[in-house]
């Protein structure tokens, strides 16, 4: 009697679809990703429809004019849209595993099960690292490789959206290293007051940084990503401790809010333990770490090809390998504040703070 079996190609496709979903769900930044201009991490998949190596994100700033009223003539009083763009260049990510000879008897589907968790973990961690690298970058250059001239140029262009410690004046030199050296281990930890100051900076920057709008409550939030030492200091703030008593119940339906997060003053704080310290660059060479307060369109993710798998046989079919691959890329979205899209770049949706982050003793 003939039996119907699923086509191999369909089984592979189903596995790839499930892998992509689980990869997104397992990402620490998953709740902040979406396809709209309201998303903190905006996803574009335009290149899935046509070939190319880059995706352009449209950045439209808010209107600032007063308009007209009471029958006044509107024609001639219109306001031009202050629109800019960000070109994100994609790349390929791939990794694979190869079975040992004793696994010859394992079928292709069993091999997928065996390698799936390891590859998914790698993909999730690689995505996390790319987002963190994008947030810390200075005008498209990785922070760790940027020289003093590049860091200073970024600070000058983003002076209205960078905070060093507890005081705006700490960055008045417009010299990155000098500003970092003003941070001490008493006044310049991450506190509720410093966080609220970063929020005010976001709302008074030119142009302002748009918050994320919750579709469930129609409330507006910023999201702040911090490392473990900054999160530790924030949790000791008595103002924050008092405010958390009713947060879990009130925030349970908010997409951005997850277990372990903190909410204060319209800011959702998320601990991302893999955010690296800036270094021992503060006063008396204390450790300093960054905090990223993000609004809408802070980071862009351009995707040309979702994660997919491939198999290959080696050594006369005695060994088998499984690989996963994706084509895409992450960028901190920036816009030119000068005469062109790329002149005098500003971070579109991020206020960057630097705070004392001395390790536990």
């Amino acid at each position: 009697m003939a039996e119907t079996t699923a086509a191999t190609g369909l089984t592979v496709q189903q596995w790839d679809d499930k892998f992509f979903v689980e990869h997104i769900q397992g990402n620490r930044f998953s709740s902040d990703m979406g396809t709209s201009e309201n998303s903190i991490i905006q996803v574009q998949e335009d290149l899935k429809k046509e070939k190319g190596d880059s995706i352009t994100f449209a950045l439209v700033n808010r209107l600032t004019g007063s308009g007209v009223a009471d029958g006044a003539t509107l024609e001639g009083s219109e306001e031009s849209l202050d629109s800019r763009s960000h070109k994100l260049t994609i790349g390929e990510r791939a990794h694979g595993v190869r079975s040992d000879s004793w696994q010859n008897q394992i079928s292709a589907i069993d091999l997928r099960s065996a390698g799936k968790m390891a590859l998914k973990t790698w993909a999730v961690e690689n995505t996390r690292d790319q987002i963190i690298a994008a947030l810390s970058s200075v005008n498209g250059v990785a922070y760790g490789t940027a020289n003093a001239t590049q860091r200073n140029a970024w600070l000058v262009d983003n002076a209205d959206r960078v905070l060093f410690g507890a005081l705006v004046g700490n960055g008045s030199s417009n010299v990155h290293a000098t500003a970092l050296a003003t941070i001490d281990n008493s006044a310049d930890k991450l506190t509720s007051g410093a966080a609220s100051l970063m929020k005010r900076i976001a709302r008074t920057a030119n142009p302002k940084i748009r918050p994320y709008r919750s579709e469930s409550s129609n409330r507006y939030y910023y999201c702040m990503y911090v490392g473990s030492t900054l999160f530790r200091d924030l949790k000791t703030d008595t103002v924050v401790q008092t405010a958390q008593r009713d947060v879990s119940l009130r925030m349970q339906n908010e997409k951005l809010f997850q277990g372990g997060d903190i909410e204060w003053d319209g800011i959702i704080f998320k601990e991302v333990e893999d955010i690296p310290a800036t270094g021992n660059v503060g006063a008396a060479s204390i450790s300093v770490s960054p905090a990223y307060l993000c609004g809408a369109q802070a980071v862009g993710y351009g995707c040309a090809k979702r994660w997919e798998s491939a198999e290959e046989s080696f050594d006369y079919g005695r060994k088998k390998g499984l690989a996963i691959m994706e084509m895409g890329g992450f960028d901190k979205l920036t816009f030119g504040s000068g005469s062109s899209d790329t002149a005098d770049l500003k971070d579109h949706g991020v206020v960057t703070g630097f705070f004392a982050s001395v390790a536990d003793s």
Side-chain angles (χ1 to χ4, degrees):
M1 178 183 297
E3 295 184 1
T4 302
T5 58
T8 303
L10 292 179
T11 304
V12 172
Q13 182 177 349
Q14 290 169 355
W15 188 90
D16 288 344
D17 289 343
K18 186 176 180 182
F19 178 93
F20 180 80
V21 171
E22 291 181 350
H23 165 262
I24 293 297
Q25 291 175 343
N27 191 321
R28 182 65 179 89
F29 297 92
S30 61
S31 62
D32 314 332
M33 300 174 73
T35 57
S36 77
E37 294 178 356
N38 181 54
S39 303
I40 291 174
I41 302 175
Q42 185 182 4
V43 181
Q44 278 207 37
E45 295 185 285
D46 290 352
L47 284 179
K48 290 180 64 180
K49 304 174 184 177
E50 53 188 62
K51 294 185 180 298
D53 65 352
S54 64
I55 292 178
T56 299
F57 288 78
L59 309 175
V60 180
N61 295 323
R62 61 189 293 271
L63 298 175
T64 58
S66 57
V68 299
D70 301 328
T73 301
L74 178 59
E75 185 175 353
S77 298
E78 301 92 343
E79 182 179 352
S80 60
L81 284 174
D82 183 14
S83 60
R84 301 286 173 132
S85 63
H86 179 103
K87 182 179 179 181
L88 187 154
T89 301
I90 67 167
E92 184 182 37
R93 293 186 284 168
H95 201 6
V97 294
R98 188 185 295 200
S99 64
D100 296 324
S101 58
W102 65 269
Q103 292 179 308
N104 282 339
Q105 300 302 314
I106 300 177
S107 71
I109 303 304
D110 286 335
L111 175 60
R112 290 176 179 277
S113 298
K116 175 184 174 183
M117 184 56 66
L119 290 174
K120 185 176 76 171
T121 299
W122 175 85
V124 168
E125 292 178 347
N126 185 267
T127 296
R128 174 205 64 204
D129 293 345
Q130 287 207 25
I131 294 173
I132 293 172
L135 285 169
S136 67
S137 63
V138 293
N139 293 341
V141 179
Y143 185 88
T145 59
N147 58 37
T149 299
Q150 292 169 322
R151 293 181 182 183
N152 292 342
W154 169 79
L155 178 56
V156 169
D157 292 337
N158 290 274
D160 63 339
R161 54 198 70 209
V162 180
L163 176 66
F164 295 89
L167 300 175
V168 172
N170 287 345
S172 60
S173 66
N174 280 338
V175 178
H176 192 69
T178 301
L180 288 171
T182 66
I183 299 172
D184 64 46
N185 195 36
S186 56
D188 296 315
K189 295 180 180 180
L190 178 59
T191 63
S192 58
S196 291
L197 176 55
M198 289 182 70
K199 178 182 176 180
R200 291 195 297 275
I201 289 172
R203 300 181 74 169
T204 57
N206 183 27
K208 297 180 180 180
I209 293 176
R210 292 185 296 115
Y212 164 87
R213 183 182 63 81
S214 168
E215 296 180 359
S216 59
S217 65
N218 205 34
R219 295 184 63 189
Y220 290 86
Y221 295 98
Y222 290 101
C223 185
M224 187 183 294
Y225 304 111
V226 300
S228 295
T229 53
L230 298 192
F231 201 73
R232 172 205 64 195
D233 293 338
L234 183 67
K235 289 193 297 183
T236 65
D237 189 305
T238 56
V239 175
V240 171
Q241 290 175 347
T242 301
Q244 299 317 295
R245 294 173 182 172
D246 69 332
V247 163
S248 295
L249 181 61
R250 176 166 50 84
M251 298 292 290
Q252 62 183 352
N253 293 323
E254 293 293 347
K255 177 177 179 289
L256 286 184
F257 191 84
Q258 298 176 327
D261 293 345
I262 292 175
E263 191 271 334
W264 156 255
D265 193 23
I267 306 169
I268 298 175
F269 300 86
K270 295 176 179 285
E271 180 182 13
V272 183
E273 62 272 13
D274 298 282
I275 293 178
T278 305
N280 297 324
V281 292
S285 298
I286 65 165
S287 178
V288 172
S289 292
Y292 306 107
L293 183 138
C294 298
Q297 290 185 299
V299 174
Y301 171 36
C303 182
K305 181 183 290 186
R306 291 186 174 188
W307 289 101
E308 66 177 20
S309 63
E311 289 181 21
E312 190 166 347
S313 296
F314 308 92
D315 193 16
Y316 299 95
R318 296 174 61 243
K319 299 180 181 180
K320 294 181 179 179
L322 171 65
I324 55 169
M325 57 204 76
E326 179 250 24
M327 290 184 182
F330 292 88
D331 264 354
K332 177 165 59 175
L333 296 181
T334 59
F335 64 93
S337 60
S339 58
S340 71
D341 275 3
T342 57
D344 304 325
L345 292 175
K346 285 188 179 233
D347 297 343
H348 180 70
V350 183
V351 175
T352 303
F354 295 93
F355 300 97
S357 61
V358 175
D360 296 327
S361 56

